[in-house]
Amino acid sequence: MITLQDCQALDAKDTLRALRAHFELPDGVIYLDGNSLGAQPKAAAARALQVVQQEWGKGLIRSWNDAGWISLPTRLGDQFAPWIGVDAGELVFTDTTSINLYKVLTAAARIAREDAPTRKKIISERSNFPTDLYIAQSVCQEYGLELVLLEPEEIADALTEEVAISMLTHVNYRTGAMLDMAAITAAAHAKGILCVWDLCHSAGAVPVDLKGADADFAVGCSYKYLNGGPGSPAFVWAHPRLINRFWQPLSGWFGHAAPFQFTPDYQPAPGINRYLCGTQPLVSMSLLQCGLDVFTQTEKYGGMRALRRKSLALTDLFIALVEQRCAGYGLGLATPREHSQRGSQVCLTREEGLGVDGKDSGAYAIIQALIARGVVGDFRKGDGAKHLDILRFGFTPLYVSFEDVWCAVEHLRQVLESEKWKRPEFNQINAVT
Ligand SMILES: *Cc1c(COP(=O)(O)O)cnc(C)c1O
């Protein structure tokens, strides 16, 4: 039996525990939703004031040069590049994940059309984050391709010579399952398939080595584990061997080789700068710096290796405590137990029919009852076929403690045992789940 004292002892030994002081977290809140919107770095409020009062207020237009606004997408990209195994000068922060995915998928479709015009398929996972599938559907329409949706165990056999592009998300948002990027990329390349990886639930959460895996393109967002703030710009990377082969489709002036020549004809910038499009949200992008700075701070504690070790210890503990203390309440586990297949979140399942009046699974109401107690996770609707809804808990090793895990599971146990989740106020569905 694991006890509260055991968890406190783990905290006492935790070499990363000082990092929590870099975050503004309200008292009484156990925040297990950093996989959806990361917590606020303490430095962000002062940085926001500086950008608004000084850089915008006093510097005005001069801040494009004096405050370095113009180079911020590349400077942030250079700072973050080593965390996903790429080199400085290869990565930019800009636009959203959806938009960046459109850019790289289109570039990949154009390359495939030139190199392998008979290939007509893009493969992805059926349970990929829907925006990825929606963007792929648009690219398929434009390029006469077909989107083929797979279960994870079907991916290996689906890598055939009919496939132009593999578009996969490294860590699944709904299950927390992590794919083997190096093995899938190698198998895909052996069949001549281009590989696009979405790192939304990986960046800052798990070790990633894009160049070690020889990936072709990657995108990911910064408001989840990178703690960039709501709507902070996403990143985009293309392998140097491919970067200059095509324009990306959103050929705006920031991606021009010489934007301030104001020439009528588009000339793409060499390298990743061609993936920029237009003027960026500088206030938001400036705050992202505070999130990335925390990661730079962690280097003295062992960087991603230490973060990963703690993340796995947190998710292991959560799974063990849920099984020990919440057995018999209809919860299942969607997240793999195998470390090499797990991201930084744990997803519990509940079957449809277990909710109030047998109508739904009750998962949404359980999450609402937990949030009312200050334990913030979230709910994701089941995929229909399996009739399993998801209770999702993200574990950010930067600011979640082992005692937090204990307390969260104790709240979950109390919510389930008391059946408080059945109250009407917890069964009202909000616009954002
Ligand atoms: C969070 C997430 C997104 C979000 O895309 P936006 O364009 O930022 O809204 C996209 N894809 C995946 C896999 C995600 O997890």
Side-chain angles (χ1 to χ4, degrees):
M1 288 294 260
I2 304 162
T3 64
L4 171 59
Q5 288 70 32
D6 295 335
C7 298
Q8 289 166 337
L10 289 172
D11 282 327
K13 281 194 308 192
D14 174 16
T15 52
L16 299 177
R17 70 180 185 282
L19 291 166
R20 188 183 175 107
H22 290 287
F23 292 91
E24 195 65 56
L25 285 160
D27 287 339
V29 167
I30 296 174
Y31 194 60
L32 303 181
D33 218 354
N35 53 324
S36 216
L37 175 65
Q40 188 194 109
K42 275 209 175 116
R47 181 78 185 104
L49 213 59
Q50 184 189 25
V51 176
V52 172
Q53 287 189 334
Q54 299 298 321
E55 296 181 8
W56 180 20
K58 303 232 165 36
L60 293 161
I61 193 81
R62 293 168 291 194
S63 287
W64 279 103
N65 291 311
D66 298 350
W69 286 351
I70 191 73
S71 59
L72 196 52
T74 35
R75 282 189 288 126
L76 295 175
D78 289 352
Q79 183 175 350
F80 186 60
W83 290 83
I84 52 172
V86 307
D87 290 308
E90 294 178 1
L91 186 76
V92 284
F93 281 90
T94 184
D95 299 328
T96 66
T97 300
S98 304
I99 293 171
N100 289 335
L101 187 61
Y102 178 71
K103 297 173 196 170
V104 299
L105 261 191
T106 300
R110 288 181 184 179
I111 291 171
R113 185 174 61 184
E114 191 168 286
D115 292 357
T118 56
R119 294 170 183 257
K120 293 292 177 203
K121 290 182 180 170
I122 300 180
I123 58 147
S124 194
E125 259 192 75
R126 183 168 291 109
S127 73
N128 200 345
F129 195 87
T131 200
D132 296 43
L133 302 182
Y134 304 159
I135 293 288
Q137 285 162 29
S138 168
V139 173
C140 281
Q141 271 193 10
E142 282 171 71
Y143 289 86
L145 301 171
E146 177 199 357
L147 180 62
V148 178
L149 299 183
L150 306 164
E151 297 301 318
E153 61 275 11
E154 295 170 336
I155 294 171
D157 288 342
L159 299 171
T160 67
E161 261 120 33
E162 296 175 348
V163 179
I165 303 164
S166 152
M167 179 196 75
L168 294 170
T169 295
H170 183 219
V171 175
N172 186 290
Y173 82 105
R174 189 199 285 282
T175 61
M178 180 163 74
L179 297 175
D180 185 340
M181 180 187 291
I184 292 175
T185 304
H189 282 179
K191 298 283 182 182
I193 300 167
L194 290 163
C195 292
V196 175
W197 287 99
D198 185 326
L199 304 178
C200 277
H201 285 272
S202 312
V206 298
V208 176
D209 187 0
L210 284 170
K211 284 179 110 172
D214 200 32
D216 296 301
F217 297 94
V219 298
C221 71
S222 69
Y223 51 77
K224 292 174 180 163
Y225 290 96
L226 297 183
N227 308 304
S232 59
F235 61 86
V236 54
W237 172 80
H239 196 286
R241 69 173 166 257
L242 301 172
I243 184 77
N244 290 332
R245 281 200 53 185
F246 286 99
W247 310 356
Q248 52 94 357
L250 302 176
S251 46
W253 69 308
F254 270 66
H256 192 279
F260 288 91
Q261 298 294 323
F262 294 100
T263 54
D265 290 325
Y266 185 69
Q267 275 298 329
I272 196 66
N273 273 12
R274 68 177 53 193
Y275 276 78
L276 302 174
C277 178
T279 308
Q280 290 301 299
L282 265 308
V283 177
S284 177
M285 197 178 284
S286 299
L287 302 190
L288 166 56
Q289 174 92 62
C290 304
L292 297 186
D293 285 348
V294 176
F295 280 89
T296 303
Q297 291 275 333
T298 67
E299 276 160 17
K300 59 176 178 281
Y301 302 105
M304 183 44 83
R305 280 169 61 95
L307 290 172
R308 176 64 171 161
R309 205 178 309 119
K310 181 173 173 188
S311 156
L312 286 170
L314 290 167
T315 51
D316 274 344
L317 177 66
F318 183 78
I319 293 169
L321 283 172
V322 167
E323 290 181 340
Q324 186 179 300
R325 301 172 64 76
C326 303
Y329 293 114
L331 295 175
L333 180 66
T335 302
R337 288 174 200 275
E338 179 64 45
H339 283 179
S340 66
Q341 295 170 21
R342 191 192 305 162
S344 200
Q345 66 187 46
V346 177
C347 303
L348 305 177
T349 57
R350 245 174 99 88
E351 267 179 51
E352 255 165 54
L354 294 177
V356 178
D357 305 331
K359 278 203 209 108
D360 56 19
S361 68
Y364 178 81
I366 294 168
I367 288 290
Q368 293 310 306
L370 282 172
I371 292 173
R373 290 161 166 256
V375 179
V376 183
D378 63 22
F379 160 84
R380 288 291 173 264
K381 187 85 200 99
D383 61 9
K386 295 191 189 130
H387 304 287
L388 287 175
D389 283 344
I390 300 278
L391 301 92
R392 203 169 64 143
F393 301 93
F395 295 87
T396 304
L398 295 171
Y399 51 77
V400 174
S401 70
F402 294 95
E403 185 168 345
D404 285 340
V405 175
W406 171 274
C407 295
V409 176
E410 176 55 17
H411 280 293
L412 178 60
R413 191 191 68 74
Q414 289 177 16
V415 162
L416 291 165
E417 190 191 61
S418 66
E419 302 199 336
K420 292 232 168 83
W421 59 271
K422 292 190 173 168
R423 292 185 180 173
E425 69 263 34
F426 299 137
N427 284 273
Q428 298 288 333
I429 310 262
N430 291 322
V432 175
T433 63

